[in-house]
Amino acid sequence: MEANELIKKVRHIEIKTRGLSNNIFAGQYHSAFKGRGMAFSEVREYQYGDDIRDIDWNVTARFHKPYVKVFEEERELTVMLLIDVSGSLEFGTVKQMKKDMVTEIAATLAFSAIQNNDKIGVIFFSDKIEKFIPPKKGRKHILFIIRELIDFQATSRRTNIKKGLEYLTNAIKKRCTAFVISDFIDNSDFKNALTIANRKHDLVAIQVFDRRVAELPSVGLMKVKDAETGHEQWIDTSSAALRKAHREWWMKKQNILSETFTKSNVDSVSVRTDEDYVKALLNLFAKRN
């Protein structure tokens, strides 16, 4: 992308997403993730209404009555964005490509993070780690991230979510809040890596998908291409049986994905490229309060 065009696009994304984070997410982001950056402060006797998960069993056993751990909120969080940059993100049939929506969601979260005085970093992944931007603060850093989101060219078109999660677990030593933004079209098993990463960090999954992946239109013969492998084939979309089989495949895939998130205790949200991601993010934040 040419420099002038890139600057215009960065500015457009900044105006739109900073406005969203200022006006819509003010307070929502902070309250949704407030309990995730907590430091141990002291213990005190259990009081009615305390969360039993905060009971310190060692102290309780020593004094023969319940004591709870008291936590203080750390002044800042570290937020990591794990961005899928594989070939399948370069697809869109209605309003925009998946990649464009991923960019806007990531930029909105980034502005929400710096508004809250948090550090923000990025891991770009395909079937390998494409780029790591260490967490920092400030508008200049955010604009650099947005430029990369818009203009980054991956060296591989394939996906391996497990690699991205393992890198997060190993590279970020201190507990952070991490958003995995992907279409989650990945045939490899990443459940174990997801569970391990979520034990160390506070993980949130944001799935971006196109409605034509979920439901084929009846438009007769259609040439389809796998964006990651390059494989092409013709399919007859006028076949009701084919459309039904495709729909069932998608529903099964979504059910497995949802089950994976539930078993790994990871909060998640799915957003279609022709839908309002603002509403989806607000629902996600509300679910965490």
Side-chain angles (χ1 to χ4, degrees):
M1 192 180 290
E2 288 184 11
N4 285 344
E5 191 187 341
L6 179 59
I7 290 165
K8 277 183 190 172
K9 201 159 184 182
V10 169
R11 185 75 184 128
H12 172 74
I13 294 281
E14 182 192 10
I15 290 167
K16 180 175 180 179
T17 57
R18 188 168 62 175
L20 285 172
S21 63
N22 287 347
N23 303 324
I24 299 173
F25 297 134
Q28 295 273 359
Y29 165 91
H30 179 74
S31 59
F33 300 100
K34 65 186 176 186
R36 314 305 167 181
M38 306 296 278
F40 173 71
S41 175
E42 59 181 340
V43 292
R44 61 162 169 76
E45 277 192 54
Y46 177 87
Q47 296 170 4
Y48 178 76
D50 284 339
D51 192 331
I52 59 168
R53 290 174 297 183
D54 292 336
I55 290 176
D56 187 317
W57 294 106
N58 290 331
V59 178
T60 297
R62 198 178 311 143
F63 292 101
H64 305 292
K65 53 184 170 181
Y67 276 78
V68 292
K69 295 175 183 175
V70 178
F71 295 89
E72 286 181 351
E73 190 173 351
E74 291 181 11
R75 281 193 301 250
E76 63 183 42
L77 293 172
T78 295
V79 176
M80 290 300 302
L81 303 175
L82 274 72
I83 309 292
D84 183 348
V85 288
S86 61
S88 63
L89 272 290
E90 295 169 11
F91 179 77
T93 59
V94 187
K95 280 173 67 178
Q96 59 183 344
M97 288 200 300
K98 286 186 276 185
K99 183 184 175 185
D100 296 331
M101 180 173 271
V102 166
T103 297
E104 287 197 21
I105 291 172
T108 303
L109 291 170
F111 277 114
S112 298
I114 60 161
Q115 237 191 318
N116 202 48
N117 202 35
D118 297 337
K119 291 179 183 174
I120 182 107
V122 184
I123 297 168
F124 289 104
F125 70 91
S126 53
D127 60 348
K128 60 184 179 181
I129 303 306
E130 296 277 355
K131 184 164 189 164
F132 172 54
I133 302 173
K136 280 168 65 176
K137 293 183 188 180
R139 180 175 175 269
K140 188 177 175 183
H141 181 61
I142 296 291
L143 293 181
F144 170 67
I145 287 173
I146 294 172
R147 277 200 302 274
E148 289 296 296
L149 285 165
I150 293 168
D151 211 33
F152 186 78
Q153 298 296 317
T155 57
S156 173
R157 299 188 66 78
R158 295 177 182 267
T159 312
N160 190 318
I161 294 167
K162 181 183 171 186
K163 288 270 175 72
L165 292 166
E166 287 175 344
Y167 189 86
L168 170 74
T169 301
N170 295 327
I172 307 299
K173 303 302 179 192
K174 186 182 170 187
R175 183 172 173 82
C176 75
T177 294
F179 296 91
V180 187
I181 312 176
S182 171
D183 55 11
F184 290 92
I185 296 174
D186 183 359
N187 293 323
S188 60
D189 183 11
F190 55 86
K191 180 177 175 286
N192 196 42
L194 192 75
T195 304
I196 292 167
N198 195 47
R199 280 193 198 127
K200 184 176 180 183
H201 303 295
D202 177 24
L203 227 59
V204 180
I206 301 175
Q207 182 192 32
V208 174
F209 71 98
D210 189 281
R211 79 176 189 199
R212 291 305 184 212
V213 176
E215 200 151 352
L216 287 174
S218 178
V219 291
L221 279 176
M222 179 192 285
K223 192 177 189 179
V224 293
K225 179 179 179 179
D226 187 315
E228 298 194 5
T229 65
H231 175 70
E232 294 181 341
Q233 71 178 89
W234 287 93
I235 59 171
D236 183 8
T237 62
S238 62
S239 164
L242 183 133
R243 293 197 308 275
K244 182 173 180 282
H246 180 86
R247 179 70 180 161
E248 286 171 356
W249 164 82
W250 172 257
M251 293 303 293
K252 184 182 176 184
K253 199 170 180 63
Q254 287 298 94
N255 287 338
I256 291 169
L257 188 61
S258 178
E259 196 177 288
T260 298
F261 292 143
T262 302
K263 285 183 177 176
S264 302
N265 202 27
V266 170
D267 288 331
S268 66
V269 67
S270 291
V271 195
R272 246 171 43 179
T273 52
D274 59 327
E275 290 179 337
D276 182 9
Y277 68 84
V278 173
K279 193 175 175 183
L281 288 182
L282 286 172
N283 287 340
L284 173 69
F285 291 173
K287 193 163 68 174
R288 293 175 64 91
N289 283 326

